[in-house]
Amino acid sequence: TQLLEQSPQFLSIQEGENLTVYCNSSSVFSSLQWYRQEPGEGPVLLVTVVTGGEVKKLKRLTFQFGDARKDSSLHITAAQPGDTGLYLCAGAGGSGNTGKLIFGQGTTLQVKP
Amino acid sequence: DTAVSQTPKYLVTQMGNDKSIKCEQNLGHDTMYWYKQDSKKFLKIMFSYNNKELIINETVPNRFSPKSPDKAHLNLHINSLELGDSAVYFCASSRGLAGAIGELFFGEGSRLTVL
C-alpha cells in the first residue's frame, strides 16, 4: 500500500514567519498535487507537479517535487493569517494506484496575526 | 452555480439506520469519487465511477453502496449505520479517464454523525 507522510502535522506560527511542509513516500508517483482545505469546505487544488525536480511558485508559496518523484515540499514565505488551513499532498499514478489519488494525513497550519 | 454539490451537509442519525448522501456535478466531468475524511483529517478514497461505471472500490464494508444514475450524479447509500461511520464524506469529480488524474473538484462535504 502506498503511503504519503506529511510533516509536521501541526504548525502554529506568527505572521511574517517562513515555514516548510514536507510530503514523503517510499513510492514513486507520476505526479503530486497540493490542496488546501478550509473549515467546512472541501479541498481546493493549489498546484500539480509532474517532473522530478520541478519547482513551481504561487505567489508566496513554492512547491518542489523531489528528483526521484517520491517526495515534495511546500514552502511559504512571510506567512499571513489568510494562509491558515489544512494542507494536503496527494500522489497520483504510482504503482498499483491507477485512477486514484493517495492523500497524506495533512498539515494543519495556524498563522497568528 | 456550485460545481460539485452534495446534500445533506449535516446528517445526525441513530445507529442501525439507513441514510443516503447525494452528489451532483455540473462540470461535465467523466469521473466522480467518494472520499471519507476521518476525525484526524485523513482523506481516503472509497469509490470512483467513470461514465457510470464503477472503477475503484476500496476495502469498504458492503453496507456502503454507491450508485451513479448518470455521469453527473453519484449517490452513496449506507445501511445499518455504525458509530465508526461518523466522518465527513466528500464527493469529488475530475475530467478524463481514471488513469490520468487531473484536478479533483470537491464538494463541501457531508458531516455524518452516528449516535
Side-chain angles (χ1 to χ4, degrees), chain B residues 1 10 12 14-15 20 22 27 29-31 50 57 69 71 82 88 90 93 96 101 111 113:
Chain B
D1 266 356
Y10 299 98
V12 181
Q14 298 288 330
M15 260 194 325
S20 293
K22 295 185 176 182
L27 297 167
H29 287 166
D30 293 322
T31 310
N50 179 261
N57 185 350
K71 75 173 194 176
E82 299 177 358
V88 182
F90 283 98
S93 71
I101 290 288
R111 180 177 292 276
T113 303

Side-chain angles (χ1 to χ4, degrees), chain A residues 46-100:
Chain A
L46 295 173
V47 78
T48 301
V49 284
V50 178
T51 307
E54 183 177 3
V55 176
K56 280 193 174 177
K57 290 192 174 184
L58 186 65
K59 296 183 182 177
R60 293 173 295 99
L61 278 60
T62 302
F63 304 86
Q64 184 162 9
F65 202 10
D67 291 340
R69 289 186 286 124
K70 293 183 179 181
D71 55 84
S72 181
S73 63
L74 157 61
H75 182 80
I76 302 179
T77 303
Q80 298 177 2
D83 296 327
T84 293
L86 176 69
Y87 289 81
L88 296 157
C89 65
S95 170
N97 79 337
T98 300
K100 60 185 177 185

